């Protein structure tokens, strides 16, 4: 049996084997057409987006060419500041005054004008230093400086112009110490008194303290000065025993009072210097 040309081609209605080559060629042709359509759509979409963006820019700028619109928003030369440099910090050529020196206010009577009293130097009823508590006894203030001394110290105070002498006694565990502050007009007079000092301060009894360090009893004595003040101590045992270098309790009480007196004098200067700094015009 013979077949016509259409039979073996496998076309519709044919009963033979399909023509696979022809089918593949037609499929490839359809694929190429789809690719061309997809690419063309992407190009059209890009062009459309660009047109939209351009329209938006033109609408936002309010019309006119881009160069004209940019120029219209720039300030004119007359509106620009002439000097755009940062301002330089300014400093006063005059240096600020130094704070007052507290020692200046206790070195001469001209500046040291705060009241001078026994309670001002030795306030309260006791002195506490660390774990040591010293009970205050009698106090005394006199303008007859020699009357509160023993031996040659009275003449030294008088010759150097001592204006007043303030004394206070403290006691602790059978030890008593009298501390005295002599007031002079200048620092130089106070220093000269210390250099010339001989004899010593007279102990002050009363207010629970019996007489001590009198009648030749060996006691510990100290002499110092700060500013226009000379200050002294005399200390020993209330039972009259002589003091030796081994008696640390006597030395401890005396040192506590010496340090306390120095700080009280310094505090006078500090207080007056602070007041002067707060009110430089004195009023």
């Amino acid at each position: 049996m013979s077949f016509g040309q259409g039979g073996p081609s496998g076309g519709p209605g044919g009963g033979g084997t399909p023509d696979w080559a022809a089918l593949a060629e037609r499929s490839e042709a359809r694929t190429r057409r789809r690719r061309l359509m997809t690419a063309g759509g992407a190009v059209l979409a890009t062009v459309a987006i660009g047109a939209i963006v351009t329209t938006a820019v033109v609408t936002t700028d309010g019309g006119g060419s881009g160069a004209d619109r940019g120029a219209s928003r720039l300030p004119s030369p007359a509106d620009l500041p002439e000097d755009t440099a940062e301002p330089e910090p300014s400093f006063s050529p005059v240096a600020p005054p130094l704070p007052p020196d507290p020692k200046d206010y206790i070195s001469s009577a001209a500046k040291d004008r705060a009241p001078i009293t026994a309670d001002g130097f030795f306030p309260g009823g006791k002195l506490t230093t660390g774990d040591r508590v010293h009970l205050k006894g009698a106090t005394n203030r006199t303008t007859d400086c020699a009357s509160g001394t023993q031996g040659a110290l009275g003449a030294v105070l008088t010759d150097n112009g001592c204006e007043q002498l303030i004394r206070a006694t403290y006691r602790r565990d059978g030890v008593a110490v009298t501390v005295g502050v002599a007031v002079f007009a200048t620092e130089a007079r106070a220093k000269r008194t210390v250099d010339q000092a001989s004899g010593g301060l007279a102990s002050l009894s009363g207010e629970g303290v019996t007489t001590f360090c009198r009648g030749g009893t060996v006691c510990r004595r100290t002499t110092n000065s700060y500013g226009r003040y000379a200050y002294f101590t005399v200390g020993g045992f209330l039972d009259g025993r002589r003091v030796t270098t081994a008696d640390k309790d006597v030395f401890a009480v005396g040192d506590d009072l010496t340090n306390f007196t120095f700080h009280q004098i310094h505090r006078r200067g500090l207080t007056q210097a602070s007041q002067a700094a707060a009110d430089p015009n004195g009023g």
Side-chain angles (χ1 to χ4, degrees):
M1 178 181 294
S2 64
F3 294 91
Q5 268 185 322
S9 66
T17 302
D19 187 351
W20 298 111
L23 291 173
E25 183 177 347
R26 287 196 295 271
S27 176
E28 183 178 354
R30 287 194 299 269
T31 300
R32 284 196 299 270
R33 285 195 298 272
R34 283 198 298 270
R35 288 176 179 171
L36 289 173
M37 292 176 66
T38 302
V43 171
L44 289 174
T46 302
V47 172
I49 292 172
I52 293 171
V53 171
T54 302
T55 302
V57 170
V58 171
T59 303
T60 303
D61 288 344
S65 66
D68 291 341
R69 288 192 301 274
S72 66
R73 288 197 298 271
L74 293 175
S76 63
D79 295 335
L80 293 175
E82 295 182 0
D83 185 6
T84 59
E86 292 292 330
E88 293 289 336
S90 60
F91 300 96
S92 172
V94 180
L98 295 175
D101 183 355
K103 194 168 184 292
D104 288 344
Y105 288 84
I106 53 171
S107 294
S108 70
K111 280 192 171 183
D112 186 13
R113 298 179 179 179
I116 297 176
T117 64
D119 287 339
F121 276 105
F122 308 110
K126 61 184 178 181
L127 168 64
T128 301
T129 305
D131 59 352
R132 298 185 297 276
V133 178
H134 313 290
L135 300 179
K136 188 171 75 172
T139 61
N140 176 264
R141 175 175 175 268
T142 179
T143 56
D144 181 7
C145 298
S147 65
T149 67
Q150 295 185 92
L153 183 59
V156 174
L157 293 178
T158 301
D159 291 345
N160 285 294
C162 177
E163 297 177 352
Q164 55 182 304
L165 177 67
I166 299 171
R167 289 181 296 163
T169 296
Y170 291 82
R171 70 183 189 277
R172 178 178 181 269
D173 295 339
V175 172
V177 174
T178 295
V179 57
V181 179
V183 185
F184 298 87
T186 64
E187 180 179 21
R189 290 175 179 269
K191 285 183 175 180
R192 189 161 58 245
T193 296
V194 171
D195 292 341
Q196 298 174 352
S198 180
L201 192 69
S203 63
L204 180 65
S205 58
E207 301 290 335
V209 177
T210 58
T211 302
F212 67 100
C213 291
R214 295 292 183 101
T217 303
V218 177
C219 289
R220 186 199 183 208
R221 302 180 188 275
T222 66
T223 302
N224 295 277
S225 71
Y226 184 54
R228 70 186 187 113
Y229 300 91
Y231 53 103
F232 314 87
T233 66
V234 55
F237 294 105
L238 289 172
D239 62 8
R241 281 180 291 155
R242 66 191 305 269
V243 176
T244 70
T245 55
D247 295 316
K248 303 303 182 185
D249 290 343
V250 176
F251 282 74
V253 177
D255 289 347
D256 286 346
L257 288 176
T258 297
N259 292 333
F260 175 71
T261 302
F262 168 81
H263 287 295
Q264 288 294 92
I265 297 171
H266 179 71
R267 191 175 72 170
R268 283 181 60 85
L270 189 62
T271 299
Q272 294 177 90
S274 299
Q275 292 171 348
D279 186 7
N281 295 322

